[in-house]
Amino acid sequence: MKTIDVKILDPRMKEQLPAYATPGSAGLDLRACIDAPLTIKAGETHLVPTGLAIHIADPAYAAMILPRSGMGHKHGIVLGNLVGLIDSDYQGQLMVSTWNRGQNDFTLNPMERLAQLVIVPVLQVGFNVVEEFGDSERGIGGFGSTGKH
Ligand SMILES: O=c1ccn([C@H]2C[C@H](O)[C@@H](COP(=O)(O)OP(=O)(O)OP(=O)(O)O)O2)c(=O)[nH]1
Ligand SMILES: [Mg+2]
């Protein structure tokens, strides 16, 4: 398994570093490193620290912060940026933009798991400027151009 450098910014995280819940898990749960319960009112967004910084270092990888399904579906707790993208050269604290898109206030407890981190491969590309593309089956058709069924 590949390893990446992590800094523990909040001592409470020492005992509970993110880990894959099952052998097939893709996500590593991130916790709310807050000192007291935080009530996020319906419609509000709070930037929540995770107590961790990672340095992926290799530009062939990035990390994405995604909502946890249960938090999103049951409580309306998703991400203010919809998806968080962590660059391979970012060394600051992982922050979770926590949006209560639901109708009810939600109280986030200290160290509660609120989002998940997924490490993904990235291909950096250069641009080759052209006047015309080579033929493709789709061409410029999009936005439902292949029909409804
Ligand atoms: O949910 C997130 C999203 C981003 N970041 C950090 C890591 C990322 O590498 C950095 C910049 O994110 P992004 O490029 O998405 O934001 P930006 O608004 O374009 O800021 P910048 O000008 O710093 O690139 O912020 C987080 O901690 N949490
Ligand atoms: Mg940016």
Side-chain angles (χ1 to χ4, degrees), residues 4 16 35 41 50 55 66 77 98 100 102 111 126 134 137 149:
I4 57 174
Q16 30 197 356
D35 293 331
K41 293 193 181 129
T50 63
H55 183 207
L66 301 176
I77 297 298
T98 309
N100 181 355
M111 308 315 285
E137 183 167 331
H149 299 288

Side-chain angles (χ1 to χ4, degrees), residues 65 81 84-87 90 93-95:
I65 298 178
N81 47 357
L85 180 61
I86 311 301
D87 298 288
Y90 180 67
Q93 181 162 202
L94 294 174
M95 303 295 290

